[in-house]
Amino acid sequence: MNNFLLEKMNTKTIHRVAQLIKFYGLSYNEFDRKVQLPTSYISKAINNESNIGSHVLEKIYRTFPVDGNWLLGANVPMERENTEGKHIAAEEPAAYKKELTNFEKGVLECLKKKEAKEIITEIAQGLMSQK
């Protein structure tokens, strides 16, 4: 790492991990599962402002499209660059939040088969008939 990059480091790695978790809208336990860490590992590390090992950093780097220098505290963009020097777009944060429930999957299937107006009309009629 060159001197310029070292001078630009202004944030502890654990703070960057917390920012990453917040960006993706994850709970600490969801993050632990996604990165394959023991339950409560990251919440303890964040609450204690602990250092985290290189094995954890590697798992985070492999799981998220995050720039390694950003993760270590450098003042660079969060997203990792591909081989052409372009930033890899981070996946939509909502994609990391949770698995869809059966209800949500059902709603999505209905939306694929019918126009939204038809679905809304059916729901409204069902609600009116319940009164």
Side-chain angles (χ1 to χ4, degrees):
M1 194 176 305
N2 64 32
N3 288 335
F4 174 76
L5 198 52
L6 285 172
E7 290 171 6
K8 292 294 183 182
M9 291 185 148
N10 56 6
T11 304
K12 288 181 74 172
T13 300
I14 196 65
H15 296 158
R16 287 295 171 98
V17 172
Q19 288 175 340
L20 183 70
I21 292 168
K22 185 175 181 178
F23 176 80
Y24 283 102
L26 297 169
S27 71
Y28 293 150
N29 286 334
E30 288 171 325
F31 182 83
D32 286 337
R33 278 192 300 275
K34 189 153 206 54
V35 181
Q36 300 177 351
L37 296 172
T39 303
S40 299
Y41 179 93
I42 209 66
S43 66
K44 289 177 186 173
I46 289 171
N47 290 333
N48 296 326
E49 293 195 9
S50 303
N51 292 326
I52 54 177
S54 61
H55 68 289
V56 175
L57 294 174
E58 288 175 23
K59 287 180 176 190
I60 294 169
Y61 187 79
R62 279 187 266 133
T63 305
F64 297 95
V66 63
D67 184 287
N69 290 319
W70 177 86
L71 193 57
L72 294 174
N75 189 16
V76 297
M78 178 186 202
E79 301 89 14
R80 186 181 324 153
E81 290 184 356
N82 64 18
T83 55
E84 289 122 24
K86 297 178 183 174
H87 290 291
I88 298 171
E91 287 187 42
E92 184 64 31
Y96 282 100
K97 285 187 178 178
K98 62 177 177 117
E99 288 290 318
L100 294 177
T101 64
N102 288 335
F103 174 76
E104 292 166 328
K105 289 176 185 176
V107 169
L108 289 175
E109 285 302 311
C110 286
L111 288 172
K112 289 178 188 175
K113 295 176 184 174
K114 297 180 183 179
E115 292 294 319
K117 184 178 177 181
E118 288 177 60
I119 294 169
I120 292 169
T121 303
E122 288 176 13
I123 292 170
Q125 289 172 344
L127 291 173
M128 294 302 286
S129 68
Q130 290 178 358
K131 287 185 176 182

